[in-house]
Amino acid sequence: MARLNEQVEALLQEYADLLSITGGDAYRARAYEKAARSVGGHPADLAGLDAKELREIPNVGKSIADKIDEYRNTGSIQAVEALRAQVPTGVRQIMAIPTVGPKKAGALYRDLRITSPEELREAIGAERLNDVPGFGERTAENILHGLDLLRRTGGRVRLDVATATAAEITAVLGAVPGCVRCEPAGSLRRFRETVGDLDILAAAEDSDPLMAAFTALPDAADVLVHGTTKTSIRTTAGLQVDLRVVPPEDWGAALLYFTGSKAHNVRLRTMAVKAGLKLSEYGLFEVGSGARIASRTEQEVYAALGLPWIPPTLREDRGEIQAARRGELPDLVEEADLRGDLHTHTDLTDGVASLEEMLDAAAARGYAYYAVTDHAPNLAMQRMTEEKMLAQRSRLRELGPSHRGMRLLHGTELNIDPDGGVDWPADVLAGFDLCVASVHSHFRAGRAAQTRRLVRACENPHVHVIGHPTTRLLGRRGGLDVDLDTVFRACARTGTALEINSAPERLDLGDEAVARAKRHGVRFAIDSDAHSTLQLDNQRYGIGTAQRGWLGGDDVINSWPWSRLRRFLHDR
DNA sequence: GCCGTTTTCGGCCCGACTGTTTTCAGTCG
């Protein structure tokens, strides 16, 4: 089960959606959305809060506190159940289609009784949408495009969701008597940006107790396969999880096999065959005698093939085996290498935590420096002004150049306009220690225009980092149509860093683009883009992406000591 | 439904874009 805060966040968000679909008071729906965000980003676990403490959470008043309490006591909220009875669950899935919001989803349900993305696709094919007021030809086209986008990542879940599920399962199984080891494998261990099926590997002499505990998990909605070596369940959230149990002496070979990727394994097996060996999930064997050569650890298996251990994030058959053979594997950047975070928000704009709360949480991570980069005025909804920005800077300066061992940087996240310009005149920009510049609008301009736009932003002497460079949202929005190689050249030429945004819904730049940018000589900033104290921990996903792009510490400006980063910021 | 150094009632996140309208609703960041 997910943390109580996340469960309540999801329920409140669902209630807000259902209110919007049924045409309830928009401000009321908004109130639930705000409360959902606050609860999700609240550092204390709801399970341990009393009634008074619940109401101290921002945007939670009496009504919502009562609903949270009701959920804690009964496992459901009557008001939510009542609306669920009015609106089939598929209607919310339709809302997940880009360009379809609560009003369109509601109209499609009311007028055509459409309750799933599949039905919607059929209805468009049969030209039935023409009968609904406000739905024209272009609307149908946009919906089809959105459906395709959704289908491309269909069934795959975000890395943070898979990570949380895996952590819960391995914690339960690891405590089962007889369990020697239990760890996630598969694409999650490789930090792919989304996960299809979750693979969990356990080592034990007797698999029965583990399989029994696995199928008895509270999250197990269905048991798909039940055997002695492999059992598969589908969770209540719809994620398929495969558990494989192997004897402890086979652990290394099995972990290697089930971590993949398939292409990496195929290449390893080919190497084995050429050496007169056979590699399987049970070990590395001599073909003639059948004698087992290695299986206990991954290191043993790789070593028997004449290779050093290869980090899982590199196992995509993108040249890692050749590099390993030459002894030229990169010295990958690790989470412990990060000395700071250069893109974060506070409640001055759309964060849910105060400046002081964010600084405390960052200091607890042991950072040597930390940048506060709230939104700039052109993102109008944030209502930023020069006065508010300067007041924040004063508060930051009062805390001193260094606070709890952290050097404090006052930055901003600028908006790159369609021509490549940014908020604020040059003299105001010069007052910042650090400027991140990101695209937040005009996503549909053509390739030449988008490329020119990003290149111009790189050429701005006040811009240090381009934030979430493609602006993609996994499963919801493709990236900008842009000639990335031209942008990479501009970054290398101007000394502008590209961000690896660690938010699990972004992971932008993605791994392959990172590898390409590195070949152009680009530097990177791995940033959380945190909007709450908890999201500072998202850096692990950005690190995974950086590793998949073969980055070492030298490539990542926020792994550098302050003296070197300061020079980088100044020389810009 | 939440909130308050202008308020315990009356506001609340603003502006641009798109596609459908012929004056504007819906969606998005």
Side-chain angles (χ1 to χ4, degrees):
Chain A
M1 297 288 275
R3 198 173 78 117
L4 183 60
N5 297 45
E6 271 90 63
Q7 296 174 40
V8 171
E9 178 185 12
L11 270 174
L12 295 177
Q13 180 62 52
E14 179 181 353
Y15 193 59
D17 289 345
L18 294 175
L19 284 173
S20 307
I21 292 169
T22 52
D25 175 19
Y27 286 115
R28 211 172 138 233
R30 181 66 144 293
Y32 279 97
E33 273 180 18
K34 278 157 71 177
R37 265 169 57 80
S38 292
V39 166
H42 195 64
D45 193 326
L46 293 184
L49 301 185
D50 62 30
K52 179 165 165 287
E53 288 166 330
L54 280 182
R55 297 204 40 187
E56 282 167 1
I57 300 172
N59 304 308
V60 174
K62 172 153 177 34
S63 174
I64 292 180
D66 284 348
K67 287 187 174 69
I68 295 174
D69 201 41
E70 181 189 352
Y71 183 69
R72 290 195 301 193
N73 293 328
T74 69
S76 70
I77 299 174
Q78 266 312 305
V80 179
E81 298 299 331
L83 275 186
R84 278 179 178 171
Q86 280 182 46
V87 184
T89 49
V91 177
R92 271 190 89 222
Q93 289 172 26
I94 289 176
M95 250 184 84
I97 301 166
T99 73
V100 180
K103 301 297 175 198
K104 287 202 179 106
L108 289 168
Y109 175 56
R110 269 189 308 278
D111 292 6
L112 298 177
R113 294 281 132 188
I114 290 174
T115 61
S116 73
E118 296 73 37
E119 287 174 24
L120 180 52
R121 191 185 283 277
E122 285 166 25
I124 293 172
E127 299 189 350
R128 286 169 56 213
L129 257 58
N130 303 337
D131 305 337
V132 186
F135 285 71
E137 203 175 318
R138 296 302 302 274
T139 302
E141 272 176 35
N142 288 337
I143 291 175
L144 281 179
H145 181 73
L147 279 166
D148 287 340
L149 201 72
L150 209 56
R151 188 152 68 177
R152 240 183 288 155
T153 47
R156 298 187 71 87
V157 302
R158 278 178 2 194
L159 205 45
D160 56 330
V161 176
T163 299
T165 307
E168 288 155 20
I169 294 175
T170 53
V172 171
L173 298 184
V176 170
C179 180
V180 179
R181 303 191 72 162
C182 184
E183 287 175 25
S187 51
L188 176 61
R189 184 163 179 245
R190 304 200 313 277
F191 276 85
R192 268 195 64 174
E193 60 201 26
T194 57
V195 173
D197 299 343
L198 192 53
D199 292 300
I200 308 280
L201 184 68
E205 296 295 349
D206 177 10
S207 70
D208 288 349
L210 281 166
M211 297 307 189
F214 184 56
T215 54
L217 285 170
D219 267 6
D222 293 304
V223 178
L224 308 174
V225 180
H226 195 346
T228 54
T229 60
K230 174 183 167 177
T231 294
S232 300
I233 62 168
R234 191 178 304 284
T235 68
T236 47
L239 177 62
Q240 182 177 329
V241 187
D242 298 341
L243 171 65
R244 318 211 182 221
V245 182
V246 299
E249 61 270 21
D250 290 354
W251 173 262
L255 186 60
L256 181 58
Y257 182 85
F258 291 115
T259 296
S261 64
K262 189 167 272 178
H264 179 85
N265 288 350
V266 165
R267 196 168 283 272
L268 284 183
R269 281 203 293 274
T270 309
M271 277 183 72
V273 168
K274 283 184 184 153
L277 304 170
K278 185 182 78 125
L279 179 63
S280 74
E281 61 265 52
Y282 303 105
L284 184 65
F285 303 90
E286 268 184 14
V287 169
S289 65
R292 188 200 307 250
I293 294 175
S295 67
R296 184 161 282 277
T297 67
E298 285 188 335
Q299 283 85 347
E300 259 183 32
V301 177
Y302 277 115
L305 290 169
L307 298 171
W309 180 77
I310 299 177
T313 43
L314 294 183
R315 299 183 194 172
E316 298 291 345
D317 190 27
R318 294 178 187 160
E320 72 278 7
I321 292 173
Q322 296 86 332
R325 210 182 294 167
R326 293 193 303 265
E328 291 172 7
L329 281 176
D331 185 11
L332 295 178
V333 63
E334 293 178 17
E335 195 172 1
D337 297 333
L338 292 184
R339 296 173 194 251
D341 200 328
L342 302 180
H343 180 178
T344 69
H345 296 273
T346 74
D347 59 8
L348 182 63
T349 55
D350 57 352
V352 298
S354 68
L355 177 67
E356 287 77 7
E357 287 166 337
M358 293 301 285
L359 293 181
D360 284 348
R365 290 180 60 87
Y367 282 149
Y369 44 81
Y370 182 82
V372 179
T373 57
D374 271 312
H375 288 286
N378 293 357
L379 197 59
M381 65 188 284
Q382 304 298 350
R383 300 177 124 188
M384 180 55 105
T385 62
E386 191 172 341
E387 290 69 33
K388 284 159 85 171
M389 178 276 286
L390 289 173
Q392 181 185 59
R393 183 177 297 166
S394 298
R395 282 172 66 201
L396 208 61
R397 298 295 187 236
E398 279 166 22
L399 294 169
S402 190
H403 170 68
R404 297 190 54 185
M406 260 182 343
R407 181 157 298 271
L408 302 182
L409 307 180
H410 191 237
T412 181
E413 182 182 13
L414 301 165
N415 305 288
I416 305 175
D417 70 28
D419 297 325
V422 297
D423 321 53
W424 279 319
D427 61 317
V428 176
L429 293 178
F432 287 106
D433 300 319
L434 171 97
C435 291
V436 178
S438 314
V439 168
H440 292 117
S441 65
H442 301 86
F443 304 106
R444 292 168 66 166
R447 189 175 181 83
Q450 297 289 33
T451 305
R452 200 164 49 238
R453 177 186 193 186
L454 285 177
V455 167
R456 269 207 63 199
C458 290
E459 288 169 344
N460 186 321
H462 297 103
V463 170
H464 300 103
V465 178
I466 303 294
H468 45 74
T470 78
T471 77
R472 72 171 181 180
L473 290 173
L474 293 169
R476 287 208 289 132
R477 186 172 70 211
L480 299 176
D481 183 11
V482 62
D483 177 1
L484 282 175
D485 289 293
T486 298
V487 176
F488 296 159
R489 276 192 292 276
C491 286
R493 173 167 53 84
T494 59
T496 310
L498 283 174
E499 183 175 74
I500 298 175
N501 190 295
S502 301
E505 67 271 27
R506 292 191 186 272
L507 294 176
D508 182 14
L509 283 181
D511 51 17
E512 292 183 71
V514 167
R516 247 165 70 207
K518 177 184 158 97
R519 288 197 284 275
H520 285 278
V522 175
R523 306 288 197 190
F524 302 85
I526 301 175
D527 293 332
S528 71
D529 193 3
H531 288 67
S532 72
T533 56
L534 300 169
Q535 289 177 359
L536 291 170
D537 292 339
N538 283 342
Q539 290 286 50
R540 61 164 100 170
Y541 308 118
I543 285 285
T545 300
Q547 291 187 348
R548 290 175 60 82
W550 291 52
L551 297 194
D554 195 52
D555 300 311
V556 178
I557 65 171
N558 54 320
S559 77
W560 295 350
W562 166 241
S563 55
R564 186 176 177 194
L565 176 62
R566 183 179 54 196
R567 237 181 354 260
F568 176 87
L569 296 176
H570 273 269
D571 291 352
R572 185 73 190 80

